Amino acid sequence: MTTLLSLPPPSSSHCFSTAFSSCHQPSVVVTTGRPTRFLPVAATTTHHHQQIDKSSLTVAEAAEEDQLWAAACLRVRSLYDFQPSSYGIQDHKRYLAEREFVALKERIAGKREDFKRVSCINATLPLSQLSSSASDLCAACKFTSNGEERVVVGTLDLNQCLWLPEEIAGTKPEGIEAEYRRAYLSNVCVARELHRNGLGYDIVAKSKIVAEKWGITDLYVHVAVDNEPAKNLYLKSGFVHENDEPAWQARFLDRPRRILLWIGFPCTNEL
């Protein structure tokens, strides 16, 4: 894989405010639901998986722009594979990261129609924790917090909404409460060098805590039928099968067919 250069957050005047693409790779724990779709090149690189000390791991909601930019870069890095010989690969990576960066800020700020509330939840580690084999990850996804250099190593979005674009909708709860008490996970990914450390489980667990704090009673996630790592993650996290995407819809969208998984929480009065 071509090294992604360390890039500062771009000026919003040079970005495209479109939500991130919808794609799956069998080797990456990822599920997405977004209006614009891009298909990745098949992965051909074998990655060394570093074991980490999780005592310095932080999993929390992100608000600062430099951390959101790092999360956007991780999403491009995790959800796409590019042929090393591709022309203009760095420009294309930046284009995708800029687009996700602006869209992410707009969703969090409540500027996207049909999204009641959106939170970006990131797992981060100190830069010093990562080995030289993760130098590409460190260059692409680092940010500074309270004077410490850290790296976004896992990320997802928690979306309070009735449905996600181009995805089948959940059915729980019914009635007027659905608008406030239903949520979806999207853009779930973990740096491939750090797979097998339970980071996907950690960020999903944090999303469940935040969802319950919001008063969410029904949390959903879409996953490709052949994405076994992702399905195993969500089942381990307590999700169960609710519905299947119609085959015709998957063919129309030119993507693997999805299943819809659900987990319920006790009703609270917090909204």
Side-chain angles (χ1 to χ4, degrees):
M1 177 174 289
T2 302
T3 301
L4 178 59
L5 301 178
S6 179
L7 300 173
S11 166
S12 60
S13 63
H14 296 98
C15 302
F16 297 83
S17 55
T18 304
F20 205 57
S21 69
S22 180
C23 58
H24 292 276
Q25 296 181 79
S27 63
V28 179
V29 175
V30 52
T31 180
T32 57
R34 298 169 289 272
T36 303
R37 182 172 48 82
F38 300 85
L39 296 179
V41 177
T44 57
T45 305
T46 300
H47 293 273
H48 170 72
H49 297 115
Q50 177 188 343
Q51 293 301 304
I52 60 173
D53 176 6
K54 297 177 84 171
S55 63
S56 57
L57 178 72
T58 298
V59 183
E61 295 179 85
E64 296 181 358
E65 287 198 358
D66 58 345
Q67 188 176 163
L68 296 179
W69 171 250
C73 290
L74 179 63
R75 293 173 186 190
V76 171
R77 191 178 183 278
S78 299
L79 299 175
Y80 296 87
D81 273 291
F82 301 89
Q83 296 288 1
S85 59
S86 297
Y87 176 77
I89 187 172
Q90 298 300 336
D91 288 341
H92 188 53
K93 285 181 177 180
R94 173 146 189 146
Y95 163 77
L96 294 172
E98 287 177 346
R99 183 157 65 172
E100 169 60 3
F101 175 67
V102 171
L104 179 57
K105 289 197 300 179
E106 290 184 349
R107 293 194 298 269
I108 291 173
K111 296 180 180 179
R112 287 299 180 99
E113 188 177 356
D114 297 328
F115 289 85
K116 294 292 181 183
R117 192 184 324 187
V118 175
S119 177
C120 173
I121 296 173
N122 291 335
T124 71
L125 283 170
L127 180 65
S128 58
Q129 272 263 342
L130 299 174
S131 68
S132 59
S133 63
S135 59
D136 178 72
L137 169 67
C138 297
C141 305
K142 69 181 178 181
F143 67 100
T144 302
S145 176
N146 297 320
E148 180 186 40
E149 287 190 316
R150 297 184 69 88
V151 179
V152 175
V153 295
T155 183
L156 63 75
D157 290 339
L158 173 65
N159 309 276
Q160 184 184 33
C161 55
L162 287 173
W163 58 78
L164 290 178
E166 290 191 350
E167 302 286 4
I168 54 176
T171 60
K172 305 180 185 72
E174 298 179 346
I176 192 171
E177 286 195 347
E179 188 173 6
Y180 302 98
R181 298 195 181 276
R182 184 186 304 166
Y184 297 83
L185 300 182
S186 65
N187 295 321
V188 184
C189 61
V190 169
R192 54 191 58 159
E193 295 92 338
L194 302 182
H195 284 186
R196 304 175 187 170
N197 280 285
L199 295 175
Y201 182 83
D202 292 335
I203 56 176
V204 171
K206 178 63 176 181
S207 73
K208 290 158 64 179
I209 294 171
V210 175
E212 288 195 82
K213 182 179 177 181
W214 288 0
I216 299 299
T217 58
D218 299 274
L219 180 62
Y220 287 93
V221 64
H222 299 87
V223 60
V225 294
D226 59 352
N227 192 337
E228 293 300 328
K231 288 193 290 187
N232 291 337
L233 165 66
Y234 300 126
L235 294 175
K236 179 182 176 182
S237 300
F239 287 81
V240 297
H241 178 272
E242 179 176 294
N243 200 0
D244 295 273
E245 180 180 40
W248 67 264
Q249 182 172 323
R251 287 196 300 269
F252 177 77
L253 295 171
D254 190 25
R255 69 181 186 197
R257 190 168 59 85
R258 315 292 184 89
I259 60 174
L260 181 64
L261 303 179
W262 163 88
I263 188 172
F265 306 121
C267 182
T268 70
N269 292 322
E270 294 183 38
L271 291 174

